[in-house]
Amino acid sequence: MIIDHPLLGPRDAAEFVCLGDASLIERPDGRADDALEKFYQYQFIRDNPDGVHRELWFHEYGDRSWLVVTRNTLTHEIYNVELAREVAREMGRGR
């Protein structure tokens, strides 16, 4: 599988580590009354979807950047690749 890195161009997926759902960018509030339960859910309870899904990928054997990759988990077709920092900024603006 080839990941078209926004800064470096096409890279082999072997250079990356997939770390799960891209919603992990948005961490729970550690000061909330239910923080312990929220962090438990955040850390341990994950969906394993089939079909189109947004995932966090880390460029471990490259520039060590974080990416949000939108791909089909059944076919491995990649639809979009974004820098995670840009996605996080956009999420912050939506608040």
Side-chain angles (χ1 to χ4, degrees):
M1 186 168 65
I2 300 296
I3 295 175
D4 193 6
H5 193 293
L7 302 176
L8 305 174
R11 315 301 295 178
D12 190 291
E15 296 181 14
F16 297 84
V17 175
C18 181
L19 294 168
D21 192 328
S23 68
L24 295 175
I25 290 174
E26 196 163 357
R27 295 179 58 167
D29 180 0
R31 295 169 291 183
D33 291 337
D34 61 349
L36 185 60
E37 176 61 25
K38 294 283 186 192
F39 270 98
Y40 174 81
Q41 295 288 328
Y42 174 83
Q43 183 68 31
F44 298 109
I45 306 302
R46 308 270 173 88
D47 289 334
N48 188 14
D50 57 355
V52 178
H53 185 63
R54 293 177 81 203
E55 301 169 320
L56 277 174
W57 287 69
F58 179 62
H59 197 189
E60 185 171 30
Y61 298 106
D63 69 342
R64 305 187 67 73
S65 59
W66 288 87
L67 304 176
V68 174
V69 176
T70 304
R71 73 179 183 101
N72 187 315
T73 59
L74 297 173
T75 66
H76 300 295
E77 181 179 0
I78 294 176
Y79 301 104
N80 193 31
V81 181
E82 306 166 88
L83 293 172
R85 68 176 176 239
E86 299 299 326
V87 172
R89 279 191 193 124
E90 289 298 318
M91 290 173 75
R93 288 187 194 139
R95 291 181 190 188

